[in-house]
Amino acid sequence: MYAQLRDEKNHYGKKLNIKEQVNEKDLIIASQLNVIKDVLDDIVDTLENIEENISHILMEFHNDRVGLYFSGLSLYLEALQVSDASLRKELIAQSLKSLNDSQAQIIQEFKSDIAFLRSPQFNKIKRKKHDCLVEK
């Protein structure tokens, strides 16, 4: 590999040899940067795994709430089939409790989600993700 300079008239001058000179200090720094990069990659992988696990757990919580709703609904439909009046009233009461509990939990979940979406914390996250997408 070589370099050439041009004069004022845009004519090329003589060829100049280019030699890459790497000293031991540069190699040590490059090696340290590679180690740091590997550690940061491991940290990112760990954080992504944690995020995935948290998302899974949150989905399980949501599914539990929905399951509680369907349980109450099923219990109510079953109560309608019971001929004994006192047992029917008791089953209906249990089903209404299950339905009310699930409704309250889902409403609270929605309120929390909406509060988070309105928060400055979400705006920071949204901005960071947007900036990352723009850079790519």
Side-chain angles (χ1 to χ4, degrees):
M1 212 187 306
Y2 63 91
Q4 282 185 297
L5 301 175
R6 291 193 243 180
D7 61 15
E8 305 86 36
K9 296 180 182 177
N10 224 11
H11 295 110
Y12 287 103
K14 67 178 183 172
K15 295 179 182 178
L16 304 169
N17 286 331
I18 299 175
K19 293 181 184 176
E20 186 176 346
Q21 294 182 358
V22 179
N23 61 29
E24 191 174 324
K25 184 179 178 182
D26 292 337
L27 291 175
I28 291 171
I29 291 172
S31 173
Q32 289 173 340
L33 289 175
N34 282 334
V35 169
I36 291 170
K37 180 190 174 298
D38 291 343
V39 169
L40 289 175
D41 286 343
D42 289 343
I43 291 171
V44 168
D45 288 343
T46 301
L47 290 174
E48 286 174 348
N49 287 337
I50 290 171
E51 179 183 20
E52 185 178 319
N53 289 335
I54 288 173
S55 296
H56 183 71
I57 290 168
L58 292 175
M59 183 54 76
E60 286 179 2
F61 283 150
H62 178 75
N63 289 341
D64 287 347
R65 293 176 185 113
V66 172
L68 185 61
Y69 170 79
F70 283 115
S71 171
L73 187 61
S74 176
L75 190 58
Y76 180 76
L77 293 174
E78 185 179 325
L80 295 179
Q81 303 299 318
V82 173
S83 58
D84 183 2
S86 66
L87 180 58
R88 182 181 323 118
K89 285 180 184 178
E90 195 171 317
L91 289 174
I92 288 174
Q94 287 178 358
S95 70
L96 289 176
K97 180 182 180 337
S98 178
L99 290 167
N100 284 332
D101 287 349
S102 66
Q103 179 187 20
Q105 290 175 9
I106 289 173
I107 288 171
Q108 185 58 41
E109 179 184 12
F110 288 160
K111 284 181 179 180
S112 296
D113 291 345
I114 290 168
F116 174 71
L117 293 174
R118 288 180 158 175
S119 73
Q121 181 184 4
F122 174 74
N123 287 331
K124 288 178 188 174
I125 292 169
K126 186 170 68 171
R127 216 172 297 122
K128 285 180 184 177
K129 285 187 178 182
H130 178 266
D131 292 345
C132 288
L133 291 174
V134 170
E135 288 176 9
K136 291 181 180 179

